[in-house]
Amino acid sequence: MSAANAKTVIKLKLLIDKIQNRVVFAESGKDFVDVLFSFLTLPLGNIIKLIRKQQPSIAIGCLDSLYESIENLDLQHFESEACKSMLLNPRNSSVAECKKLKLNVDDTETTKYYLCSVCSVSFLSTSRNSKCYCGKLMNHEITVQGLGDQTGGDMEGVFVRGTATFLITDDLQVMPMSTTCSFAELKNFGVGDTNILEEKTIDVELEQVETLLSFLLISKTPLSGTFLSKTLGAGTLWLQQENVTQTRNMVQTANNYKEITIKFTVRKSNQKALFAEAGDDFIDFIFSMLTFPFGSM
Protein backbone atom coordinates (compact mmCIF):
# COMPACT_ATOMS: atom_id res chain seq x y z
CA MET A 1 0.00 0.00 0.00
CA SER A 2 1.37 3.40 -0.95
CA ALA A 3 1.89 6.12 1.64
CA ALA A 4 -0.87 8.16 0.00
CA ASN A 5 -3.39 5.35 0.49
CA ALA A 6 -2.23 4.19 3.93
CA LYS A 7 -4.76 4.61 6.71
CA THR A 8 -3.82 6.46 9.88
CA VAL A 9 -3.90 4.09 12.85
CA ILE A 10 -3.09 4.16 16.57
CA LYS A 11 -1.54 1.11 18.24
CA LEU A 12 -3.45 -0.10 21.28
CA LYS A 13 -2.53 -3.03 23.51
CA LEU A 14 -5.46 -4.90 25.07
CA LEU A 15 -5.51 -7.36 27.98
CA ILE A 16 -8.55 -9.57 27.34
CA ASP A 17 -10.47 -11.93 29.61
CA LYS A 18 -11.05 -14.82 27.18
CA ILE A 19 -13.76 -16.47 29.29
CA GLN A 20 -15.99 -13.41 29.65
CA ASN A 21 -14.91 -11.90 26.32
CA ARG A 22 -14.18 -8.51 27.84
CA VAL A 23 -11.34 -6.03 27.92
CA VAL A 24 -9.70 -5.99 31.35
CA PHE A 25 -7.75 -2.88 30.46
CA ALA A 26 -5.88 -1.27 27.60
CA GLU A 27 -2.39 0.18 27.46
CA SER A 28 -1.63 3.15 25.24
CA GLY A 29 0.55 6.15 24.68
CA LYS A 30 -0.50 9.76 24.20
CA ASP A 31 -2.30 9.38 20.86
CA PHE A 32 -5.24 7.25 22.02
CA VAL A 33 -5.67 9.08 25.34
CA ASP A 34 -5.71 12.42 23.49
CA VAL A 35 -8.56 11.05 21.34
CA LEU A 36 -10.51 9.95 24.43
CA PHE A 37 -10.07 13.31 26.13
CA SER A 38 -11.07 15.15 22.95
CA PHE A 39 -14.57 13.62 23.23
CA LEU A 40 -15.22 15.98 26.15
CA THR A 41 -14.67 19.03 23.91
CA LEU A 42 -17.27 18.00 21.30
CA PRO A 43 -20.47 20.07 21.26
CA LEU A 44 -23.55 17.89 21.77
CA GLY A 45 -24.90 18.87 18.35
CA ASN A 46 -21.78 17.51 16.64
CA ILE A 47 -22.04 14.24 18.58
CA ILE A 48 -25.68 13.85 17.54
CA LYS A 49 -24.84 14.57 13.90
CA LEU A 50 -22.01 12.02 13.91
CA ILE A 51 -23.97 9.25 15.63
CA ARG A 52 -27.05 9.75 13.45
CA LYS A 53 -24.79 9.10 10.46
CA GLN A 54 -22.82 6.19 11.93
CA GLN A 55 -25.27 4.53 14.37
CA PRO A 56 -28.86 5.66 13.61
CA SER A 57 -30.34 3.06 16.00
CA ILE A 58 -28.98 4.94 19.04
CA ALA A 59 -31.22 7.52 20.68
CA ILE A 60 -29.33 10.15 22.68
CA GLY A 61 -32.11 10.82 25.14
CA CYS A 62 -34.27 13.54 23.56
CA LEU A 63 -31.37 15.47 22.06
CA ASP A 64 -31.72 13.83 18.66
CA SER A 65 -35.38 14.95 18.58
CA LEU A 66 -34.27 18.48 19.45
CA TYR A 67 -31.68 18.39 16.65
CA GLU A 68 -34.28 17.14 14.17
CA SER A 69 -36.65 19.93 15.21
CA ILE A 70 -34.05 22.53 14.26
CA GLU A 71 -33.48 20.80 10.92
CA ASN A 72 -37.20 20.89 10.14
CA LEU A 73 -37.91 24.46 11.26
CA ASP A 74 -38.21 26.94 8.42
CA LEU A 75 -35.65 29.75 8.29
CA GLN A 76 -38.38 32.29 8.99
CA HIS A 77 -38.42 31.09 12.61
CA PHE A 78 -34.74 31.97 13.14
CA GLU A 79 -33.11 35.36 13.60
CA SER A 80 -30.84 34.55 10.66
CA GLU A 81 -29.60 31.66 8.53
CA ALA A 82 -26.41 31.73 10.61
CA CYS A 83 -28.38 30.98 13.81
CA LYS A 84 -29.75 27.76 12.36
CA SER A 85 -26.37 26.80 10.96
CA MET A 86 -24.50 27.35 14.23
CA LEU A 87 -27.01 25.15 16.10
CA LEU A 88 -26.80 22.29 13.59
CA ASN A 89 -23.01 22.62 13.25
CA PRO A 90 -21.80 24.07 16.56
CA ARG A 91 -18.17 25.11 16.67
CA ASN A 92 -15.77 23.24 18.92
CA SER A 93 -13.82 25.82 20.94
CA SER A 94 -10.90 23.34 21.01
CA VAL A 95 -10.86 22.88 17.23
CA ALA A 96 -7.20 23.91 16.97
CA GLU A 97 -6.15 21.22 19.45
CA CYS A 98 -8.40 18.55 17.90
CA LYS A 99 -6.89 19.13 14.47
CA LYS A 100 -3.57 17.90 15.91
CA LEU A 101 -5.09 14.54 16.90
CA LYS A 102 -3.92 11.49 15.02
CA LEU A 103 -7.59 10.40 14.69
CA ASN A 104 -10.12 13.21 14.89
CA VAL A 105 -13.90 12.62 14.73
CA ASP A 106 -14.71 16.34 14.89
CA ASP A 107 -15.49 17.78 11.46
CA THR A 108 -15.45 21.43 12.57
CA GLU A 109 -14.02 23.50 9.74
CA THR A 110 -10.98 25.70 10.10
CA THR A 111 -12.07 28.95 11.71
CA LYS A 112 -13.05 31.69 9.28
CA TYR A 113 -13.82 35.28 10.22
CA TYR A 114 -16.47 37.59 8.79
CA LEU A 115 -17.34 41.25 9.17
CA CYS A 116 -20.05 43.54 7.89
CA SER A 117 -19.12 45.13 4.58
CA VAL A 118 -21.52 48.04 5.22
CA CYS A 119 -21.00 49.00 8.86
CA SER A 120 -17.79 50.76 9.93
CA VAL A 121 -17.75 49.01 13.33
CA SER A 122 -15.13 46.24 13.29
CA PHE A 123 -16.97 43.38 14.98
CA LEU A 124 -15.94 39.88 13.89
CA SER A 125 -18.06 36.75 13.60
CA THR A 126 -17.05 33.13 13.05
CA SER A 127 -20.45 32.40 11.45
CA ARG A 128 -21.16 33.57 7.93
CA ASN A 129 -24.35 35.66 7.56
CA SER A 130 -24.61 36.53 11.25
CA LYS A 131 -26.50 39.77 11.82
CA CYS A 132 -24.41 42.85 12.50
CA TYR A 133 -25.50 45.46 15.03
CA CYS A 134 -26.53 47.64 12.09
CA GLY A 135 -28.93 44.91 10.92
CA LYS A 136 -26.92 43.88 7.86
CA LEU A 137 -25.32 40.46 7.38
CA MET A 138 -21.69 39.77 8.28
CA ASN A 139 -20.63 37.92 5.14
CA HIS A 140 -17.33 39.54 4.13
CA GLU A 141 -14.59 36.97 4.83
CA ILE A 142 -11.27 38.30 6.04
CA THR A 143 -7.96 36.90 7.23
CA VAL A 144 -6.92 37.82 10.76
CA GLN A 145 -3.26 37.41 11.59
CA GLY A 146 -2.63 35.53 14.82
CA LEU A 147 -6.18 34.19 15.20
CA GLY A 148 -6.01 31.24 12.81
CA ASP A 149 -6.19 27.64 13.96
CA GLN A 150 -2.78 26.40 14.99
CA THR A 151 -2.23 22.99 13.48
CA GLY A 152 0.95 21.11 12.89
CA GLY A 153 3.05 18.22 14.05
CA ASP A 154 3.36 18.72 17.79
CA MET A 155 5.01 15.50 18.86
CA GLU A 156 4.66 16.27 22.57
CA GLY A 157 0.98 15.38 22.67
CA VAL A 158 -2.19 17.43 22.49
CA PHE A 159 -3.84 17.17 25.92
CA VAL A 160 -1.34 14.84 27.67
CA ARG A 161 2.45 14.72 27.76
CA GLY A 162 3.97 12.86 24.85
CA THR A 163 6.25 10.60 26.84
CA ALA A 164 3.61 9.15 29.18
CA THR A 165 2.04 5.67 28.99
CA PHE A 166 -1.46 5.09 30.31
CA LEU A 167 -3.71 2.30 31.52
CA ILE A 168 -7.36 2.55 30.49
CA THR A 169 -10.12 0.47 32.08
CA ASP A 170 -13.14 -0.84 30.20
CA ASP A 171 -15.26 2.02 31.57
CA LEU A 172 -12.64 4.54 30.38
CA GLN A 173 -10.90 5.40 33.61
CA VAL A 174 -7.46 6.67 32.58
CA MET A 175 -4.45 6.44 34.89
CA PRO A 176 -0.66 6.48 34.57
CA MET A 177 0.77 3.05 33.71
CA SER A 178 3.06 1.53 36.34
CA THR A 179 6.10 -0.45 35.25
CA THR A 180 4.39 -3.73 36.17
CA CYS A 181 0.83 -4.83 36.74
CA SER A 182 0.83 -7.17 39.74
CA PHE A 183 -1.54 -10.08 40.29
CA ALA A 184 -3.09 -8.17 43.21
CA GLU A 185 -3.88 -5.28 40.85
CA LEU A 186 -5.50 -7.68 38.38
CA LYS A 187 -7.86 -8.83 41.15
CA ASN A 188 -9.14 -5.27 41.33
CA PHE A 189 -10.31 -5.78 37.75
CA GLY A 190 -12.15 -8.98 38.61
CA VAL A 191 -9.43 -11.35 37.39
CA GLY A 192 -8.54 -14.27 39.65
CA ASP A 193 -6.75 -16.51 37.15
CA THR A 194 -4.10 -15.07 34.85
CA ASN A 195 -4.37 -18.13 32.57
CA ILE A 196 -7.61 -16.75 31.14
CA LEU A 197 -5.89 -13.58 29.97
CA GLU A 198 -4.78 -12.83 26.44
CA GLU A 199 -2.67 -9.91 25.30
CA LYS A 200 -3.49 -8.45 21.91
CA THR A 201 -2.19 -5.43 20.02
CA ILE A 202 -4.60 -3.83 17.56
CA ASP A 203 -4.64 -0.99 15.05
CA VAL A 204 -7.31 1.56 15.88
CA GLU A 205 -8.76 3.42 12.88
CA LEU A 206 -11.11 6.39 12.67
CA GLU A 207 -14.17 4.18 12.19
CA GLN A 208 -13.49 2.43 15.50
CA VAL A 209 -13.06 5.77 17.27
CA GLU A 210 -16.52 6.78 16.00
CA THR A 211 -17.93 3.46 17.25
CA LEU A 212 -16.27 4.00 20.63
CA LEU A 213 -17.95 7.40 20.93
CA SER A 214 -21.31 5.69 20.27
CA PHE A 215 -20.67 2.94 22.83
CA LEU A 216 -19.61 5.28 25.64
CA LEU A 217 -23.04 6.95 25.43
CA ILE A 218 -24.99 3.74 26.08
CA SER A 219 -22.56 1.35 27.77
CA LYS A 220 -20.35 1.05 30.83
CA THR A 221 -17.98 -1.25 28.87
CA PRO A 222 -17.23 0.70 25.68
CA LEU A 223 -13.78 -0.82 25.06
CA SER A 224 -15.19 -4.36 25.03
CA GLY A 225 -18.08 -3.25 22.86
CA THR A 226 -15.85 -1.56 20.31
CA PHE A 227 -12.90 -3.91 20.02
CA LEU A 228 -14.43 -7.34 20.74
CA SER A 229 -17.08 -7.11 18.01
CA LYS A 230 -20.02 -6.89 20.36
CA THR A 231 -23.29 -5.86 18.76
CA LEU A 232 -24.25 -2.22 19.07
CA GLY A 233 -28.01 -2.49 19.04
CA ALA A 234 -30.66 0.11 19.63
CA GLY A 235 -30.18 1.92 22.91
CA THR A 236 -30.67 5.16 24.76
CA LEU A 237 -28.35 7.41 26.68
CA TRP A 238 -27.80 5.92 30.13
CA LEU A 239 -27.75 9.27 31.93
CA GLN A 240 -30.54 9.40 34.50
CA GLN A 241 -33.53 11.46 33.47
CA GLU A 242 -35.79 13.38 35.83
CA ASN A 243 -39.47 14.21 35.44
CA VAL A 244 -40.50 17.84 35.07
CA THR A 245 -42.27 18.86 38.28
CA GLN A 246 -42.51 22.64 37.93
CA THR A 247 -44.43 24.88 35.57
CA ARG A 248 -42.04 27.77 36.16
CA ASN A 249 -38.29 27.51 35.58
CA MET A 250 -35.59 29.90 36.71
CA VAL A 251 -32.76 30.44 34.24
CA GLN A 252 -29.67 32.10 35.71
CA THR A 253 -28.10 34.96 33.78
CA ALA A 254 -24.78 36.64 34.46
CA ASN A 255 -26.01 38.87 37.29
CA ASN A 256 -29.50 37.73 38.25
CA TYR A 257 -32.29 35.25 37.65
CA LYS A 258 -34.72 35.52 34.78
CA GLU A 259 -38.11 33.91 35.14
CA ILE A 260 -39.48 31.96 32.18
CA THR A 261 -43.13 30.93 32.22
CA ILE A 262 -44.09 27.67 30.50
CA LYS A 263 -47.67 26.51 29.99
CA PHE A 264 -48.18 22.75 30.17
CA THR A 265 -51.04 20.60 28.93
CA VAL A 266 -51.16 17.64 31.33
CA ARG A 267 -52.97 14.30 31.10
CA LYS A 268 -55.05 14.08 34.30
CA SER A 269 -54.89 10.29 34.59
CA ASN A 270 -51.14 10.10 35.16
CA GLN A 271 -50.12 13.76 35.51
CA LYS A 272 -47.74 13.57 32.56
CA ALA A 273 -47.15 16.53 30.31
CA LEU A 274 -48.42 16.08 26.75
CA PHE A 275 -46.85 19.26 25.43
CA ALA A 276 -45.85 22.74 26.51
CA GLU A 277 -46.29 26.24 25.15
CA ALA A 278 -43.30 28.52 25.56
CA GLY A 279 -41.91 31.75 24.22
CA ASP A 280 -38.65 32.44 22.45
CA ASP A 281 -36.60 32.67 25.67
CA PHE A 282 -37.22 29.03 26.59
CA ILE A 283 -36.78 27.82 22.99
CA ASP A 284 -33.47 29.70 22.77
CA PHE A 285 -32.42 27.99 26.00
CA ILE A 286 -33.17 24.41 24.92
CA PHE A 287 -31.70 24.96 21.44
CA SER A 288 -28.52 26.31 23.02
CA MET A 289 -27.98 22.93 24.70
CA LEU A 290 -26.72 21.57 21.38
CA THR A 291 -23.74 23.95 21.62
CA PHE A 292 -22.70 22.69 25.08
CA PRO A 293 -19.42 20.71 25.13
CA PHE A 294 -19.97 17.08 26.12
CA GLY A 295 -17.66 17.56 29.11
CA SER A 296 -19.96 20.24 30.51
CA MET A 297 -22.69 17.64 31.02
Side-chain angles (χ1 to χ4, degrees):
M1 181 181 293
S2 66
N5 296 324
K7 288 186 176 180
T8 301
V9 299
I10 296 175
K11 295 288 185 182
L12 185 66
K13 185 184 292 184
L14 303 177
L15 190 65
I16 300 169
D17 182 333
K18 296 182 292 183
I19 302 300
Q20 299 188 46
N21 190 34
R22 68 180 180 94
V23 174
V24 179
F25 59 78
E27 178 185 341
S28 79
K30 64 179 177 63
D31 290 331
F32 186 72
V33 174
D34 276 338
V35 169
L36 289 182
F37 287 173
S38 76
F39 290 162
L40 300 179
T41 73
L42 296 176
L44 297 182
N46 285 357
I47 294 176
I48 294 166
K49 182 173 61 174
L50 176 67
I51 292 181
R52 288 176 71 197
K53 180 177 67 175
Q54 299 293 331
Q55 305 289 347
S57 62
I58 294 180
I60 310 178
C62 297
L63 289 174
D64 46 351
S65 298
L66 185 63
Y67 190 93
E68 186 176 354
S69 297
I70 296 173
E71 284 183 315
N72 294 335
L73 274 178
D74 192 89
L75 279 177
Q76 65 177 335
H77 297 294
F78 294 91
E79 285 290 336
S80 68
E81 181 182 352
C83 291
K84 182 173 183 177
S85 178
M86 69 178 65
L87 290 172
L88 294 177
N89 304 283
R91 181 165 297 279
N92 185 346
S93 62
S94 300
V95 60
E97 287 74 20
C98 289
K99 286 186 180 299
K100 300 176 188 177
L101 297 169
K102 202 165 184 180
L103 296 173
N104 179 24
V105 299
D106 184 30
D107 62 356
T108 300
E109 295 181 353
T110 302
T111 303
K112 296 179 181 179
Y113 298 94
Y114 303 91
L115 52 75
C116 177
S117 58
V118 177
C119 181
S120 59
V121 181
S122 299
F123 290 113
L124 292 179
S125 173
T126 56
S127 297
R128 184 180 181 87
N129 292 326
S130 296
K131 275 191 177 180
C132 179
Y133 283 97
C134 70
K136 302 296 183 181
L137 296 182
M138 302 176 71
N139 52 18
H140 179 65
E141 184 176 341
I142 63 169
T143 300
V144 182
Q145 295 294 332
L147 291 181
D149 295 327
Q150 301 297 315
T151 59
D154 181 3
M155 300 305 293
E156 294 304 315
V158 179
F159 300 110
V160 297
R161 297 183 69 88
T163 56
T165 303
F166 299 90
L167 182 147
I168 307 158
T169 64
D170 201 5
D171 62 352
L172 300 186
Q173 295 183 59
V174 179
M175 59 199 81
M177 184 72 180
S178 59
T179 55
T180 61
C181 186
S182 67
F183 184 69
E185 288 174 313
L186 286 174
K187 284 186 176 181
N188 294 332
F189 296 106
V191 177
D193 181 5
T194 56
N195 293 322
I196 66 173
L197 299 179
E198 175 188 10
E199 190 176 284
K200 184 177 182 181
T201 299
I202 62 172
D203 290 335
V204 180
E205 300 179 1
L206 182 60
E207 182 179 355
Q208 291 167 302
V209 172
E210 293 172 343
T211 301
L212 179 61
L213 177 59
S214 301
F215 261 112
L216 70 84
L217 291 169
I218 64 170
S219 172
K220 286 289 190 179
T221 56
L223 291 184
S224 294
T226 301
F227 301 118
L228 298 184
S229 300
K230 294 192 175 183
T231 302
L232 183 58
T236 57
L237 188 69
W238 45 259
L239 294 177
Q240 183 178 1
Q241 300 181 14
E242 297 180 358
N243 293 327
V244 177
T245 57
Q246 299 181 98
T247 58
R248 300 171 75 87
N249 290 329
M250 304 295 286
V251 179
Q252 187 175 13
T253 62
N255 300 313
N256 57 10
Y257 287 90
K258 181 176 181 180
E259 187 176 86
I260 297 178
T261 301
I262 307 168
K263 181 180 179 181
F264 286 99
T265 298
V266 180
R267 181 185 286 118
K268 292 182 179 180
S269 61
N270 57 12
Q271 289 299 299
K272 287 190 176 180
L274 298 177
F275 58 85
E277 295 179 50
D280 56 349
D281 286 339
F282 184 70
I283 302 303
D284 282 343
F285 170 65
I286 60 173
F287 279 179
S288 73
M289 294 178 183
L290 297 179
T291 69
F292 293 177
F294 185 44
S296 70
M297 293 178 64

